[in-house]
Amino acid sequence: MTLDKSSPQIVTEAVTPSLTVDCSATCKPCSYTWTKGALTVASSRTLSLTSITRNQTGDYICTAVNTATGVTSSAPTLTVTVYYAPDVNLEARCRPYRVYVGQQNVQLTCQVTAANPTVTSYSWTRDGSSIPSATSSMYSLSPVTRGSAGNYTCAARNSVGTSSSPGIGVDVQYPPNVSVPSSQTLIETQTLTVTCSVDSKPAAAVRWTQKDDSSFTPQTGSTLTISNIQRSQAGTYVCTATNTLSPCGGTALPRSESREMTVDVQYGPSMSGVPSTSPVTETTALHINCNSYTVHGNPTITNYRWTGPGYSSSGPVLNITSIIRTASGVYNCTASNTLTPTGGQPQTGSAIGQFNVDVQYPPIINTFTINSRSNKVTVEETASVNLGCRVDSNPASTIKLMNGSSELKTIDKALVVYHNWTADCRDRGNYTCTADNKLMTGEMVTRKVELIVRCSPRLDESVSKELKYASKLGDNLNVTVSVLAYPPPIFTWSRTTSTSQDLTGSSIPVSAISVTARLHLTNLQQQDFGDYSLTVDNGIDGSVSYTINIVYEDSPETPTRFRTSGNATASSLWLSWQPEFNGGHPQTFVVEYRQYCSTTWSVYNIYDDTGKMMVVEVSGLTPGTTYIFRLNARNDYEPSHRAYVYVETKTDGVPTDTKNLEAVTSGILAGTAIGTLLLTLLIEGIVLMLLYRKGFRIGNSQRETASRESSRSHEIAEMDNIGYSSLDHVNGPQQDSSLKKEESDKPHYSQLKIYENTKAGDEGETSTYEGMTETPPVTYEAIRASPYQNSSAQ
């Protein structure tokens, strides 16, 4: 048997379209069979292989069978060899092939699973690009870098062709690489927004914390956000990124990285402790260091600027060497710094401290007027007087309005003071306004203005309304009557009966409003005693006349208006009386008392005459007890023959002893009846005695002198019958119980009052009569309102 083609037959997969081989044998009839191994592949003499594949490689045998004889014959074996390109695959533990940066002993294997003929060369590509250095079946990635990542393929080549493996992805993992700004600068109240850039594979978890500040609440995510940032939030912030590397066939590897960022919060300066007022005395230096009140900002470099009333300067110190009052006001110190936020325009942070500079200065009196006029002002009596003083000072002054040494009005912390009244004759004088605010270095500032009051004549208040003088035959007597009037009056003395005395008289100016009329009487005779008339006229409201009575020296007249004040307590009460004419000699007053149920009088005290209403306190009395008080006036001329005056009153409280009240009351009633009878006889005796003594003196002047010498012993003898009680301790004014004798040889005149702060003439502005005090008259009504006035002898 023969084949029409020799063996072996070489074909190429996918290249040779087909292979046909005929088998021929010398037999008839013959049947043919082609087998490949045990597999019959054809039942004809022709072996036809189409769509050549590598599976058709092998030995083919053609067997011929003589169907007639059953003889079998086989042709030589036909070997068919099929060439094909390599089958290539990349060997990997996992897909994608996970590795990490820095990993060692990492390689890829190009595995050829089939190839005919044998592979002659290898080549590698990454992401489609040839790797020139890779020419073997193995490709090493060690050490793995981030550049090792990509899609790898390998190609195997034989004589048929080149085959490439399917690609395999190499996933290169790497730990986080963190990037943040090294610093951020913000202005307080801005919003901080910073992104932490993280490069990692796989993706990392990002967390923000603040270094050394556990109070900060960590934030997750790549962005750090702080709204309305405050200076306390400045500091170092840390971004931390964490991931886990998971190589194929290896152990998981956690990795992290942190980066720090400094946050600087800038803010302007502020002011603290700025005083509400900065007082400074005029002409002294004003020195204020604004730096002392500045709380420096961030950055701390601070610029200063001062502005104020007519003032501007740079630097922290306000310095005025000699300040004046017009410089008072608000001075502003502006402290500033420059803020430079990251990525923004520079800004200015500033604070203003307001300093209220109060320039203080001593007072000056701008105006001091009477009825809006200064210097010398003349008004009519009863006209309105408006005294006004206007002061300029800082602080406000204590302003006093004075009439001489008498204070009219004082107002503290004032700049203007007014005082209004109706003009009186005695208001004439020099008025002053003084101002002081404790800044004067010398005397207080003072302004004066003179007030002249035109007034008709009237008696000086110091002159007794009775105008009575006492003397004796042959003596000389100076009669003086003080009159208030302006302009100065003219005096005319006269008498209705004949007299040998010279009635020309004279006058002496005591002050600008007080003039004393004087009449000197010599060698007084009986006809010289009696009434004299003094006419006074200054051309205003007509003339006035006064009667002056010249009498013989005698014992004092009985006091009047003897009463209690109504302010009784359980152990004390107040008595008052009006002294009357003293008979020409200083008089004293003896106050005696007894309980209503008693008949024994006790001397409480002896008081000197003050010339005005007498008010005394009687203490040490028994509560709830009725007392009778009597009063007698005495002088050292002779024993008093004037009558007593009486008053009955009762102390507050409950009586301590009421026994035998009815019996005592009966005795007192009887005693009162007898006393009334004796008092009537005593009054009649006094009248007769006065008539007798008057006639006796005319012809017996020597006897009168002897009577005066004996008066003291007689008075003491009379008091021997009075007795004293345990009430000798007194709260009122005390007197020597021996009734000390005054110097009786001195002439006694009515007191002449000299008014302060007036002058005799119009020239000059200062008073020539200083140190003289006017005492206003005391009325009983005023005494009742204030029972403690004049409680002691003057």
Side-chain angles (χ1 to χ4, degrees):
M1 290 186 67
T2 60
L3 297 177
D4 64 353
K5 290 187 175 57
S6 62
S7 179
Q9 286 290 312
I10 299 175
V11 293
T12 303
E13 188 178 46
V15 174
T16 302
S18 63
L19 174 64
T20 301
V21 177
D22 286 333
C23 174
S24 63
T26 60
C27 68
K28 192 174 178 179
C30 286
S31 64
Y32 293 88
T33 302
W34 285 90
T35 60
K36 181 183 179 185
L39 179 64
T40 298
V41 294
S43 296
S44 67
R45 61 180 291 188
T46 302
L47 174 65
S48 180
L49 298 177
T50 59
S51 302
I52 301 301
T53 66
R54 66 192 65 182
N55 294 329
Q56 294 171 322
T57 297
D59 292 331
Y60 291 85
I61 297 174
C62 176
T63 301
V65 176
N66 188 318
T67 59
T69 64
V71 176
T72 301
S73 179
S74 295
T77 299
L78 175 66
T79 300
V80 177
T81 301
V82 180
Y83 282 1
Y84 52 89
D87 286 342
V88 182
N89 188 30
L90 275 176
E91 186 180 278
R93 293 182 180 180
C94 58
R95 293 177 182 272
Y97 190 31
R98 297 187 304 274
V99 295
Y100 60 89
V101 171
Q103 186 175 351
Q104 299 290 337
N105 302 320
V106 176
Q107 62 183 12
L108 297 175
T109 300
C110 187
Q111 184 180 26
V112 178
T113 58
N116 190 22
T118 304
V119 173
T120 59
S121 66
Y122 292 89
S123 64
W124 293 83
T125 63
R126 181 176 60 235
D127 297 331
S129 297
S130 176
I131 306 174
S133 61
T135 59
S136 67
S137 62
M138 304 290 291
Y139 180 68
S140 177
L141 299 176
S142 301
V144 176
T145 66
R146 292 178 64 175
S148 301
N151 189 54
Y152 287 82
T153 63
C154 71
R157 183 179 179 84
N158 61 10
S159 61
V160 175
T162 302
S163 298
S164 296
S165 68
I168 183 172
V170 175
D171 183 15
V172 179
Q173 298 182 345
Y174 47 90
N177 181 17
V178 177
S179 176
V180 295
S182 61
S183 65
Q184 285 284 293
T185 300
L186 294 94
I187 298 175
E188 195 169 34
T189 73
Q190 288 184 334
T191 297
L192 171 65
T193 303
V194 178
T195 299
C196 178
S197 298
V198 180
D199 182 15
S200 68
K201 196 170 186 181
V206 182
R207 187 170 186 262
W208 282 95
T209 57
Q210 186 175 8
K211 188 176 182 179
D212 301 328
D213 188 353
S214 59
S215 64
F216 176 75
T217 301
Q219 295 185 15
T220 58
S222 60
T223 302
L224 170 66
T225 301
I226 302 177
S227 301
N228 189 29
I229 195 166
Q230 301 298 308
R231 64 193 67 180
S232 61
Q233 293 174 296
T236 301
Y237 288 80
V238 181
C239 174
T240 301
T242 303
N243 69 354
T244 300
L245 308 181
S246 53
C248 288
T251 303
L253 303 172
R255 293 289 186 268
S256 68
E257 183 175 78
S258 298
R259 288 288 185 268
E260 294 182 352
M261 176 186 67
T262 301
V263 175
D264 181 23
V265 179
Q266 294 187 340
Y267 48 91
S270 61
M271 293 290 173
S272 177
V274 175
S276 59
T277 302
S278 299
V280 59
T281 304
E282 190 175 35
T283 73
T284 62
L286 174 63
H287 182 90
I288 301 176
N289 189 344
C290 189
N291 187 61
S292 300
Y293 305 99
T294 301
V295 179
H296 293 282
N298 178 30
T300 58
I301 298 175
T302 306
N303 301 312
Y304 292 93
R305 184 74 183 170
W306 279 97
T307 58
Y311 182 86
S312 179
S313 71
S314 58
V317 178
L318 169 65
N319 192 20
I320 301 177
T321 55
S322 181
I323 197 165
I324 58 177
R325 63 190 66 180
T326 56
S328 287
V330 175
Y331 287 76
N332 291 324
C333 171
T334 302
S336 62
N337 63 355
T338 301
L339 310 178
T340 55
T342 300
Q345 295 296 320
Q347 299 183 31
T348 299
S350 64
I352 298 177
Q354 290 191 334
F355 295 81
N356 185 12
V357 175
D358 182 21
V359 181
Q360 300 183 343
Y361 49 89
I364 60 172
I365 298 177
N366 291 333
T367 59
F368 181 44
T369 60
I370 295 178
N371 295 347
S372 301
R373 292 177 293 170
S374 57
N375 297 327
K376 184 183 294 186
V377 180
T378 301
V379 298
E380 299 294 331
E381 191 171 29
T382 72
S384 295
V385 179
N386 185 357
L387 192 64
C389 185
R390 188 176 296 274
V391 174
D392 180 19
S393 71
N394 184 29
S397 296
T398 297
I399 303 177
K400 288 186 179 182
L401 299 181
M402 307 282 291
N403 179 5
S405 61
S406 298
E407 184 176 312
L408 301 178
K409 179 181 285 188
T410 297
I411 297 183
D412 294 328
K413 299 179 181 179
L415 296 176
V416 179
V417 176
Y418 293 102
H419 184 57
N420 303 307
W421 75 94
T422 301
D424 182 85
C425 186
R426 293 160 295 185
D427 294 333
R428 163 101 186 231
N430 290 315
Y431 290 79
T432 59
C433 172
T434 61
D436 182 25
N437 65 354
K438 308 303 182 183
L439 294 180
M440 297 295 296
T441 56
E443 296 182 355
M444 290 188 297
V445 61
T446 302
R447 287 279 291 273
K448 293 183 179 181
V449 62
E450 182 181 0
L451 175 64
I452 298 173
V453 181
R454 287 170 45 85
C455 55
S456 60
R458 77 287 311 274
L459 285 179
D460 190 315
E461 291 180 347
S462 64
V463 178
S464 171
K465 294 181 180 180
E466 294 186 64
L467 295 177
K468 184 179 291 187
Y469 288 82
S471 188
K472 58 179 181 290
L473 290 173
D475 278 359
N476 299 331
L477 179 64
N478 283 320
V479 178
T480 61
V481 178
S482 292
V483 174
L484 303 181
Y486 187 84
I490 298 174
F491 297 97
T492 303
W493 292 90
S494 62
R495 194 178 187 197
T496 57
T497 60
S498 61
T499 179
S500 59
Q501 300 289 339
D502 181 6
L503 300 182
T504 302
S506 62
S507 63
I508 299 176
V510 178
S511 70
I513 61 170
S514 179
V515 182
T516 298
R518 299 184 63 183
L519 179 63
H520 183 62
L521 304 178
T522 61
N523 191 21
L524 286 173
Q525 300 302 311
Q526 184 175 356
Q527 66 271 19
D528 297 327
F529 289 83
D531 294 338
Y532 291 77
S533 178
L534 174 62
T535 302
V536 188
D537 188 3
N538 72 342
I540 299 178
D541 294 340
S543 62
V544 293
S545 297
Y546 302 103
T547 299
I548 294 87
N549 184 230
I550 311 300
V551 299
Y552 291 100
E553 291 181 347
D554 200 352
S555 58
E557 295 182 356
T558 301
T560 59
R561 300 168 68 185
F562 184 44
R563 64 192 67 178
T564 60
S565 65
N567 289 356
T569 68
S571 61
S572 66
L573 51 83
W574 291 82
L575 299 175
S576 63
W577 64 89
Q578 178 65 53
E580 297 298 335
F581 184 57
N582 62 10
H585 292 269
Q587 64 180 334
T588 56
F589 301 95
V590 180
V591 175
E592 299 174 85
Y593 73 98
R594 65 177 174 83
Q595 292 186 7
Y596 188 80
C597 57
S598 173
T599 58
T600 301
W601 290 96
S602 300
V603 173
Y604 179 76
N605 202 8
I606 301 173
Y607 303 94
D608 286 334
D609 184 11
T610 63
K612 54 188 176 183
M613 177 71 77
M614 300 286 291
V615 181
V616 299
E617 181 184 19
V618 179
S619 61
L621 304 177
T622 302
T625 302
T626 301
Y627 286 90
I628 299 175
F629 291 88
R630 68 181 182 182
L631 174 69
N632 180 246
R634 305 179 182 189
N635 63 14
D636 60 357
Y637 177 71
E638 64 179 29
S640 173
H641 58 271
R642 305 290 182 182
Y644 283 90
V645 287
Y646 294 80
V647 67
E648 179 180 319
T649 187
K650 183 179 180 180
T651 55
D652 287 347
V654 179
T656 57
D657 188 4
T658 57
K659 295 180 179 180
N660 302 321
L661 182 60
E662 294 181 358
V664 172
T665 301
S666 300
I668 290 176
L669 291 175
T672 301
I674 297 173
T676 302
L677 177 62
L678 294 176
L679 179 61
T680 302
L681 295 176
L682 178 61
I683 293 173
E684 291 178 355
I686 289 173
V687 172
L688 293 175
M689 183 181 295
L690 289 174
L691 294 175
Y692 170 76
R693 291 186 65 213
K694 184 174 182 181
F696 181 79
R697 284 195 181 96
I698 296 175
N700 299 282
S701 61
Q702 296 298 326
R703 182 177 177 181
E704 177 183 343
T705 302
S707 176
R708 289 187 58 204
E709 293 297 331
S710 63
S711 64
R712 177 61 182 158
S713 61
H714 188 174
E715 183 177 26
I716 295 175
E718 177 179 313
M719 291 184 62
D720 288 341
N721 296 323
I722 297 175
Y724 292 84
S725 74
S726 61
L727 290 175
D728 290 341
H729 65 284
V730 297
N731 295 336
Q734 296 289 337
Q735 290 293 329
D736 188 350
S737 61
S738 64
L739 301 177
K740 181 178 180 181
K741 185 175 182 288
E742 301 289 341
E743 295 182 24
S744 59
D745 294 336
K746 294 181 180 180
H748 300 281
Y749 306 104
S750 296
Q751 181 182 4
L752 174 62
K753 178 66 68 177
I754 299 178
Y755 285 87
E756 176 188 8
N757 196 34
T758 59
K759 58 182 182 178
D762 294 338
E763 61 278 7
E765 294 188 2
T766 58
S767 173
T768 57
Y769 300 93
E770 298 182 357
M772 298 178 248
T773 305
E774 175 186 359
T775 303
V778 179
T779 63
Y780 183 73
E781 288 73 13
I783 293 170
R784 289 181 61 86
S786 180
Y788 297 100
Q789 182 178 0
N790 300 324
S791 61
S792 61
Q794 303 296 318

